[in-house]
Amino acid sequence: MRSVRGTKDLYDQDLDCFRYICNQAQELAKLYGFKEIQTPIMEYTDVFLKPLGEDSDIVGKEMYTFPDRGGESITLRPEGTAPVMRSLLTSGLIHQLPQKRFTYGPFFRYERPQKGRQRQFHQISVEYVGEKSYQADVELLSFAYDLLKKINVHDFTLHLNTLGDSESRKKFREHLVDYLTQFKNDLSEDSQRRLAKNPLRILDSKNENDQKICSSAPQLKDFLTEESKIFFENICRSLTQLNIPFVENPSLVRGLDYYCHTVFEFKSTALGAQDTLLGGGRYDGLIKLMGGADIPSVGFGCGLERLMLACQAPQESLSEIKIILCPESEDQKMMCLKIAQTIRTSGIACEIIHTGPLPKRIQLAENMQAHFFCFVGSAEQDTQEFMFKVLKPVMHLYDLSLFSQKLSIESFLKYARSQKVDV
Ligand code: HAM
């Protein structure tokens, strides 16, 4: 029996870290006024075809698409923006603008698995729908920056570029095609195909020779309309005022067709080849393309697996206090069930190791990452006082000397509460 290539089971510390990041993102979303939305993991395939671009890698090579039993073409969502727009359109929420939404969950792309790249991965996706002013872009960038800081990601850099408006891109496209056509036969197969349909994507090619050719290509920033230029300058100026550092990266074009104006990626040196933690940008034309009105929007998505590789989740917020109870014999088993009930009601994790030799039970408790081991024998049964043997210190509980004497369950819980442990 095997698990599907490019998928991972999540448990123990990884799952704690996963939840920790989701919780931090949820808290931050509240502070910024983004409300959660959850859409199904499968959509009709046409939700993705045009919005992502028929020529994009995702649509061309990476989607999990299959006919269902009724013959409809279904796709497991490869990204979150198009489904959220579909949902706003079909639910009518699109008529109550602005819509500030975030979602998180599993996404699917048939890619070559490696560190930080899976076939089922998870994203937190944030969308600001119905706001055309550049301040929306700045707020989103600030959200992304705060999120990375909040979960202790070090060594990241914000790469920023503008794709301008459609007029800017049209002018640039003509010059770019003229330039690239001279090297047509030297370009990779993918780039040759894109030359006619989507030449901007060639700038994003991972092929070394393509990159060499592109290094001398005309630059989009030289073809920006005055309006696009001012829009981008305003964003750069605001980021500087907010002390959010960034670098301008003219070759950043992103892999999806729906972007215009601002595009950005936060990259980390901690990740290896898959170094993009978070990516996004403005997608003003998307909702119209999907059958709605002309509604400007901006958003970003970040890969949870990549955040997990790059972040340092503080131990104390991951570890709840865990107590292991150990009944001496059959006589104390019922008592242990009762004590466990009291402890759990206080919000502290408690497990009972019902049987086995004592040293083995202590070893097992250590393996379970428990903080306290509590032996319940006939003496404890009589006095109702217990030794809380410290197996692993809890960050919040400063005065560990307290546990060198026997305590009643109530005293233990009182102390835990007084130390502002979240119980
Ligand atoms: P994306 O750049 O395709 O953008 O993906 C966003 C993030 O998802 C990436 O930066 C990366 O962290 C993560 N990611 C993508 N593919 C994988 C994979 N195979 N394994 C692990 N992590 C992965 C989007 O998806 C856009 N919908 C973002 C957006 C939202 N733009 C506007 N709103």
Side-chain angles (χ1 to χ4, degrees):
M1 202 83 82
R2 300 175 298 141
S3 59
V4 174
R5 190 161 133 78
T7 66
K8 264 198 185 143
D9 302 314
L10 271 179
Y11 46 85
D12 296 346
Q13 278 162 341
D14 284 347
L15 189 55
D16 284 343
C17 186
F18 179 92
R19 293 250 159 80
Y20 165 76
I21 296 172
C22 290
N23 290 342
Q24 298 295 312
Q26 257 170 330
E27 267 181 30
L28 203 57
K30 248 190 226 160
L31 298 182
Y32 274 82
F34 285 80
K35 285 203 233 156
E36 186 171 339
I37 185 165
Q38 284 291 342
T39 65
I41 60 165
M42 55 183 176
E43 296 279 351
Y44 289 124
T45 302
D46 59 6
V47 167
F48 301 108
L49 293 183
K50 268 207 217 155
L52 273 54
E54 311 226 8
D55 194 42
S56 64
D57 279 350
I58 296 185
V59 171
K61 308 182 199 164
E62 297 170 2
M63 293 206 307
Y64 282 86
T65 297
F66 52 92
D68 69 7
R69 288 176 189 272
E72 300 266 21
S73 180
I74 301 289
T75 292
L76 300 185
R77 59 182 187 184
E79 63 95 54
T81 310
V84 169
M85 297 312 120
R86 193 275 307 140
S87 170
L88 296 181
L89 284 163
T90 50
S91 64
L93 283 170
I94 201 74
H95 302 300
Q96 300 161 35
L97 293 176
Q99 282 289 329
K100 293 166 71 179
R101 294 283 171 180
F102 82 97
T103 190
Y104 60 93
F107 294 83
F108 305 85
R109 295 184 193 175
Y110 190 81
E111 292 192 89
R112 203 166 45 78
Q114 63 181 99
K115 183 181 167 197
R117 188 161 73 191
Q118 295 179 195
R119 291 184 174 170
Q120 177 174 333
F121 60 101
H122 297 79
Q123 255 190 21
I124 298 168
S125 184
V126 183
E127 318 291 350
Y128 197 152
V129 178
E131 181 53 70
K132 68 174 188 309
S133 69
Y134 72 85
Q135 284 87 353
D137 308 44
V138 175
E139 270 203 283
L140 267 184
L141 284 161
S142 161
F143 184 140
Y145 181 77
D146 284 356
L147 177 62
L148 298 183
K149 285 272 177 205
K150 198 170 160 71
I151 62 170
N152 282 314
V153 177
H154 302 296
D155 301 328
F156 64 83
T157 309
L158 164 57
H159 293 244
L160 193 65
N161 192 22
T162 177
L163 302 180
D165 53 16
S166 51
E167 200 188 321
S168 316
R169 282 197 303 284
K170 192 166 165 253
K171 259 200 280 170
F172 171 60
R173 192 188 148 117
E174 285 163 13
H175 284 78
L176 184 66
V177 171
D178 283 350
Y179 169 82
L180 290 174
T181 306
Q182 307 168 67
F183 305 98
K184 188 171 177 194
N185 296 333
D186 302 324
L187 288 170
S188 67
E189 225 173 274
D190 267 353
S191 293
Q192 289 189 21
R193 199 168 33 80
R194 286 187 172 132
L195 189 57
K197 283 189 178 167
N198 198 343
L200 258 73
R201 288 292 321 283
I202 299 175
L203 298 174
D204 195 34
S205 168
K206 300 285 174 280
N207 178 288
E208 250 177 54
N209 202 41
D210 289 356
Q211 286 179 349
K212 218 183 278 167
I213 294 171
C214 288
S215 64
S216 309
Q219 294 209 346
L220 205 154
K221 71 175 179 358
D222 298 323
F223 298 88
L224 291 177
T225 57
E226 203 47 33
E227 217 177 304
S228 299
K229 214 190 263 177
I230 293 172
F231 193 85
F232 188 58
E233 282 168 2
N234 280 334
I235 291 173
C236 296
R237 201 186 48 251
S238 308
L239 289 176
T240 307
Q241 283 175 8
L242 291 173
N243 292 321
I244 298 177
F246 64 93
V247 293
E248 282 186 49
N249 179 350
S251 64
L252 180 67
V253 291
R254 307 268 305 131
L256 298 156
D257 269 10
Y258 48 62
Y259 293 111
C260 60
H261 288 290
T262 331
V263 282
F264 56 86
E265 285 183 351
F266 284 79
K267 291 173 183 284
S268 164
T269 46
L271 288 182
Q274 299 307 311
D275 61 351
T276 308
L277 288 165
L278 183 155
R282 191 159 263 285
Y283 51 93
D284 291 348
L286 178 60
I287 295 169
K288 191 164 181 207
L289 185 76
M290 294 178 77
D294 200 356
I295 296 171
S297 305
V298 54
F300 70 77
C302 51
L304 266 154
E305 285 75 8
R306 294 189 194 173
L307 294 182
M308 285 164 68
L309 287 170
C311 88
Q312 275 158 21
Q315 265 327 99
E316 62 263 49
S317 68
L318 296 181
S319 59
E320 296 156 357
I321 303 177
K322 187 192 269 186
I323 300 173
I324 303 293
L325 300 179
C326 180
E328 182 178 30
S329 69
E330 216 43 45
D331 290 347
Q332 289 83 33
K333 286 191 174 170
M334 186 61 225
M335 188 185 179
C336 279
L337 287 172
K338 278 197 171 158
I339 297 172
Q341 194 179 41
T342 309
I343 294 175
R344 289 177 192 139
T345 310
S346 294
I348 292 180
C350 181
E351 291 186 52
I352 308 169
I353 305 179
H354 298 278
T355 51
L358 190 57
K360 269 214 168 144
R361 288 201 254 180
I362 295 178
Q363 182 60 54
L364 189 55
E366 277 170 356
N367 295 348
M368 289 157 85
Q369 306 282 321
H371 300 91
F372 295 100
F373 184 86
C374 184
F375 179 76
V376 183
S378 51
E380 286 77 10
Q381 194 168 15
D382 289 344
T383 58
Q384 297 286 317
E385 291 202 323
F386 309 85
M387 280 303 288
F388 288 86
K389 181 179 161 55
V390 181
L391 297 181
K392 188 172 121 183
V394 185
M395 303 273 190
H396 324 276
L397 300 180
Y398 307 115
D399 184 9
L400 291 176
S401 64
L402 190 78
F403 303 107
S404 58
Q405 63 199 11
K406 282 191 170 180
L407 291 173
S408 69
I409 299 294
E410 287 67 33
S411 308
F412 173 81
L413 294 176
K414 203 168 141 196
Y415 175 68
R417 282 195 201 98
S418 73
Q419 295 298 309
K420 292 200 172 44
V421 178
D422 206 4
V423 294

